[in-house]
Amino acid sequence: MGKSNMSAQLWSDEPTHLDLLSFDAVAKTVVQAVLDDALDPVTVGVSGAWGSGKTTVLRLIEDELAPQPPATDTTILVISTDPWRYDPGVGAKETLIGEVLSAVAAELAKKEQPEGRISRARTMLTKLRQRVDWAKALQVAAKTSLTLQLPSVDDLTSLINTEPGNDDADAGDPPSRGLGEFRSEFRTLMESAELSHLRRVVVLVDDLDRCLPDTVVDTLETIRLFLAVPKMAFVVAADEHRVADALRARFPDPGSGHQSAQERYFEEPASLYLHKIVQTTVPLPTLSRFDTEAFLVLLQLSQRLTVEELTPYIEACVHLRLEKGLLDDLAEAVNGNDIFAEMAFASRMTPILYEKLQGSPRRIKRFLNDLRVRQSVAGHRGIELEPDIVAKLMVLEKLLPNAFATVLGWLARGELRSRMAKLETTAGRPAPEPHIAADPAPDDAASPEQQPTPDECESEPVTFDDDLIRWAKLPPDLGPVDLAPYLYLAAAFTGEQLLDAGLPGRLRDIAANLLSSVRFDQRRVTEADITALGEDDALSLVEYLGRAGRDRPTEQTAAVRSLVRITTAYPASTERATRLLQSIPARELQPATILVLPSAVPVFRGVLEHWKSHVPAGQDQIGRTLDHALGTGSSR
C-alpha cells in the first residue's frame, strides 16, 4: 500500500463470486447435501455472524450448481431470495411461494412447444398461482381493515385474475382460493412429466437473520408447510442465534426459567422449532490468523491484478493452508509479480486485526476502506504521512479507543513527543540515532535528544497500559514523526475536544489565541493581558506554549513568538522558556520560528547558537536562516 495507492478504489461490501476466503469447502459440503437423494426434500443452514461471508458462500454454491453437463437430461434450478427485501404489505409466505412458482414457470416455458395445447403442468401452475393471488388479496384486505380503509377494486382484481393466455384451463375447475391444498398440488406439479428433467430446485435464502420476527416465522413455515416436497432443497444463510432470538417472540419458553432441572426442556422451543425445519447446519468458520493474513494480501492484490492473474495466488493460499505452510512462501509459490508491499502490510497488520476484528471479513474490509479514506483526506489537507504510519494510527483510533483518548490527552497537554518517546522505549524500540551536522557540537553541549525536557524532569514514573505498549510494538517506528496534524484531524472526525486539563480554565482562551494561525487572534491578547497574568499563570503559560512549540510544528512559530512576549513581561520565566526552546529539535525548525527569536537578547542568542550546533546534515535552509539570524539579528 504505497503512496501511489492513496486514491485507489475502495473495496465493495457486495458478495462476490471470487473466493478469497477458501470457503469453497463449505460450499461443496452444502452442495453434496442438497444433491443427496437420501435427503429429499432437505433444508440446510449456513450459520455465521453478520459480515462473516454467508452471502459469498451462497454465490459459491450457486456457481457449483450452475454448470449443467451438456450430455445430461437433468437440470438443477437455482432460485435466490432475500426475505429482508420482501414487501411487508404482501406477506412473506406469498412472496416466497410466488418467487418459486415464477422460476418454475420460466423453466416450464423452456420445455413447452411453441405451438400446441397448454400442458397439464401449466394448468396446475395456474391454479397454484390463483391460490397465492387469493392469499395476497386477503393480506391486502387485512392490512386495509386495520386502517379502516377498504381495498380498492383494482387492488383485489389485480390479485385474483388468472394468468393471461390461460383461457383454455379447465372451465369446470372451481376457483383456487387459499393455500389449504397448495402443498399437495405443488407436489403433483413437481412430479409432472413436463418437469421430469428437474433434478432439484435449490432455493438460496439470504439475510433471514435481519428480518422481523413475523417474517422469520412466515418464511420458515412456508418452507416446511408448503414447499417441502420431493425435488425441493433450501439453503438458509443466517446467524442461527439471531434467528432463534426472533423465534422466541413467537415461541417463548413456557417455564420462563423457573422449572426444576428435571422439568427443564433439553432445548428451548425456539431452537426445537428451528431444528425441526433446518435438518442440519454448516457453521461458517471465523478467519484464523493465517486466513486473516491471506485475506489482507489477496484483497490488496485484487485491486491491481486481473482475475486470471489473481487466481494462482488464491490457489497457492489454499495449498499453503492445507500443507500447514507459511504465507511467507506465497511469493515463491507464484512467479511473475512483486507482492512484497502487500505481504509486508499484511504481516504488520494481521496480529492486531485478527484479535480486534474477531475474524470478520466485513470488518476487515471496512477497516481498510476507512484507512483509504483517512489517508486520502489527510493527503488533501497536506498531511504527508507514509501509509504504514496512517495504518498504525488508524488501529489506535478505530480498535483501541481508550488508548487513543490517552494519546489525544498527551497532545492536548503538549506532552505528545516526550510520552511517545517513553512509550516506544517501554515497547523495546531503540532510540532514534541523532543526525548531527558535519561540524559537531562541543562536548558540553547537549543534543536535543539529550536535553532534559520538563516532562523528563518529573519524578513520578510514567506507566502505560498493555494495549498501548502492544500497539507501540507495531511497525513502523513513530519516534521521529510529527503525529500532531493527523491526531488533530482524527480528533475532528471523532468530535473529541483537545483540552489541556492541566491548564487552568482561565488561561485556555488566552493560550488558544496565542497559538492561533490567525495574527488577528494573536493580537487580541494585549500586553496588558499578559502583564495582568501574575507570575504563576505566566509560568503555566510558558510550560504550555513551550510544549506546544516542541510537539506541534504547525504551532511552533506562534508558540515561540508568544514565549518571547511573556518572558519580556516576566523575566523570571526566561530560564524555563529557554530550556523548552532548546528542546525543539533543530531538524524541525521553521524559518519563521528562527526569525522571531531576537538574537540581541543574550539568552535567546544562546538558543539560536544551540540550534545552529545541532542542525542535521543536509538541512541547508535551516542552517542559512540561523546564520542570518545570528549575523544580523531579527526583527519581529
Side-chain angles (χ1 to χ4, degrees):
M1 294 181 66
K3 283 187 176 180
S4 61
N5 287 333
M6 278 187 62
S7 59
Q9 64 187 23
L10 302 181
W11 285 277
S12 171
D13 192 38
E14 291 300 310
T16 177
H17 291 264
L18 196 61
D19 184 16
L20 303 183
L21 298 165
S22 194
F23 282 163
D24 58 324
V26 176
K28 290 182 188 320
T29 300
V30 174
V31 167
Q32 289 174 353
V34 301
L35 297 183
D36 188 345
D37 291 333
L39 303 172
D40 186 19
V42 66
T43 300
V44 179
V46 175
S47 181
W50 286 359
S52 60
K54 298 185 296 297
T55 304
T56 294
V57 171
L58 290 185
R59 300 290 81 79
L60 296 176
I61 292 171
E62 185 176 9
D63 290 343
E64 283 282 326
L65 295 171
Q68 302 298 323
T72 184
D73 293 330
T74 61
T75 299
I76 298 172
L77 176 60
V78 180
I79 304 168
S80 296
T81 187
D82 187 346
W84 192 37
R85 303 180 188 276
Y86 288 175
D87 182 355
V90 174
K93 287 188 177 75
E94 294 75 21
T95 303
L96 177 54
I97 292 174
E99 289 186 351
V100 171
L101 293 181
S102 295
V104 172
E107 183 64 29
L108 186 61
K110 297 178 184 178
K111 298 297 181 179
E112 289 180 334
Q113 297 298 323
E115 298 178 359
R117 186 176 179 277
I118 298 296
S119 68
R120 181 66 181 170
R122 173 65 64 178
T123 301
M124 286 187 289
L125 185 60
T126 300
K127 291 178 66 176
L128 289 171
R129 282 183 159 177
Q130 286 177 341
R131 289 187 179 279
V132 176
D133 289 342
W134 273 106
K136 288 181 181 179
L138 293 175
Q139 287 278 345
V140 172
K143 179 182 178 182
T144 53
S145 66
L146 290 176
T147 57
L148 302 180
Q149 296 177 350
L150 292 176
S152 68
V153 174
D154 289 340
D155 285 337
L156 292 178
T157 55
S158 66
L159 290 172
I160 63 175
N161 281 340
T162 58
E163 224 180 2
N166 289 328
D167 296 334
D168 56 348
D170 293 344
D173 289 347
S176 302
R177 301 185 179 186
L179 297 175
E181 300 297 323
F182 182 93
R183 180 182 177 129
S184 61
E185 292 178 0
F186 181 62
R187 177 170 185 155
T188 302
L189 171 65
M190 296 303 295
E191 293 173 347
S192 65
E194 292 87 347
L195 294 178
S196 61
H197 66 286
L198 276 183
R199 180 183 176 188
R200 285 289 188 280
V201 176
V202 182
V203 183
L204 306 177
V205 183
D206 197 12
D207 285 337
L208 188 63
D209 48 1
R210 298 179 183 272
C211 298
L212 296 174
D214 286 347
T215 301
V216 173
V217 173
D218 286 350
T219 301
L220 293 175
E221 284 186 350
T222 302
I223 292 172
R224 181 66 177 173
L225 301 179
F226 300 109
L227 297 175
V229 302
K231 292 188 180 181
M232 295 296 297
F234 298 85
V235 181
V236 181
D239 184 335
E240 185 172 345
H241 300 293
R242 291 186 180 272
V243 172
D245 288 341
L247 292 174
R248 287 188 190 98
R250 183 74 67 89
F251 305 104
D253 185 345
S256 301
H258 297 300
Q259 304 110 312
S260 66
Q262 293 78 14
E263 296 173 332
R264 173 80 56 186
Y265 286 102
F266 179 74
E267 283 188 284
E268 62 175 330
S271 296
L272 287 170
Y273 179 90
L274 179 60
H275 295 161
K276 177 68 174 176
I277 297 172
V278 179
Q279 285 88 347
T280 186
T281 297
V282 180
L284 200 58
T286 57
L287 303 188
S288 66
R289 183 176 176 135
F290 178 95
D291 296 331
T292 300
E293 188 170 357
F295 188 48
L296 285 169
V297 172
L298 294 174
L299 275 176
Q300 295 174 84
L301 291 177
S302 69
Q303 293 201 330
R304 70 177 179 91
L305 301 181
T306 65
V307 174
E308 291 74 17
E309 293 171 327
L310 182 62
T311 299
Y313 291 99
I314 297 175
E315 294 172 348
C317 287
V318 173
H319 176 75
L320 290 172
R321 183 183 293 103
L322 293 175
E323 297 298 323
K324 308 297 183 185
L326 299 175
L327 200 67
D328 296 345
D329 300 327
L330 181 61
E332 298 179 3
V334 183
N335 296 320
N337 293 286
D338 180 6
I339 63 170
F340 176 78
E342 289 84 0
M343 293 284 292
F345 176 80
S347 176
R348 287 192 289 267
M349 300 304 296
T350 293
I352 201 157
L353 293 186
Y354 169 62
E355 175 184 328
K356 297 298 181 181
L357 299 184
Q358 289 86 46
S360 168
R362 176 175 294 153
R363 296 184 69 189
I364 291 173
K365 279 186 183 180
R366 184 175 179 86
F367 177 86
L368 294 179
N369 284 339
D370 288 346
L371 171 60
R372 284 266 173 91
V373 170
R374 185 59 55 81
Q375 190 175 337
S376 177
V377 172
H380 288 305
R381 291 198 175 189
I383 302 172
E384 296 296 336
L385 291 177
E386 291 295 329
D388 290 349
I389 294 175
V390 178
K392 182 170 179 176
L393 293 171
M394 281 282 295
V395 168
L396 186 70
E397 177 187 351
K398 296 293 185 180
L399 306 183
L400 303 169
N402 292 334
F404 181 62
T406 297
V407 173
L408 289 183
W410 297 345
L411 176 65
R413 294 190 299 273
E415 301 171 352
L416 181 63
R417 187 182 298 276
S418 62
R419 298 295 192 198
M420 285 298 302
K422 290 180 181 179
L423 173 60
E424 298 236 316
T425 300
T426 304
R429 289 194 171 281
E433 291 288 336
H435 300 285
I436 306 301
D439 182 15
D443 292 340
D444 60 346
S447 70
E449 289 76 18
Q450 298 168 328
Q451 181 71 31
T453 67
D455 300 312
E456 292 167 342
C457 295
E458 293 173 358
S459 58
E460 183 179 350
V462 179
T463 59
F464 307 101
D465 63 30
D466 290 342
D467 277 344
L468 262 177
I469 295 173
R470 185 180 178 196
W471 171 78
K473 290 178 181 291
L474 291 174
D477 177 14
L478 299 181
V481 180
D482 176 22
L483 305 179
Y486 175 88
L487 292 175
Y488 276 120
L489 178 64
F493 273 114
T494 58
E496 292 281 346
Q497 288 186 306
L498 297 179
L499 299 177
D500 182 3
L503 191 66
R506 63 183 177 276
L507 300 180
R508 289 177 184 169
D509 289 340
I510 295 176
N513 285 330
L514 288 174
L515 291 176
S516 173
S517 59
V518 180
R519 291 299 299 271
F520 174 78
D521 290 336
Q522 297 174 18
R523 293 191 185 102
R524 290 174 62 184
V525 182
T526 65
E527 299 305 320
D529 293 330
I530 292 176
T531 303
L533 285 173
E535 292 284 351
D536 291 341
D537 282 353
L539 190 59
S540 295
L541 267 182
V542 164
E543 293 276 5
Y544 180 79
L545 294 170
R547 293 196 302 264
R550 180 194 65 200
D551 291 353
R552 307 197 290 251
T554 57
E555 299 176 352
Q556 186 186 100
T557 302
V560 172
R561 180 183 289 111
S562 301
L563 284 174
V564 172
R565 295 180 64 187
I566 295 173
T567 55
T568 300
Y570 294 92
S573 65
T574 302
E575 180 182 356
R576 195 59 157 167
T578 301
R579 294 183 62 193
L580 286 161
L581 287 170
Q582 288 181 341
S583 71
I584 299 176
R587 65 178 177 271
E588 295 180 5
L589 285 170
Q590 307 292 325
T593 300
I594 299 170
L595 297 176
V596 299
L597 205 60
S599 61
V601 178
V603 291
F604 293 136
R605 186 175 184 84
V607 172
L608 291 168
E609 291 171 346
H610 175 87
W611 287 340
K612 173 62 179 174
S613 66
H614 293 91
V615 175
Q619 299 285 342
D620 296 337
Q621 183 182 11
I622 295 176
R624 286 194 298 269
T625 306
L626 283 166
D627 284 338
H628 172 72
L630 288 167
T632 63
S634 154
S635 84
R636 286 178 285 159

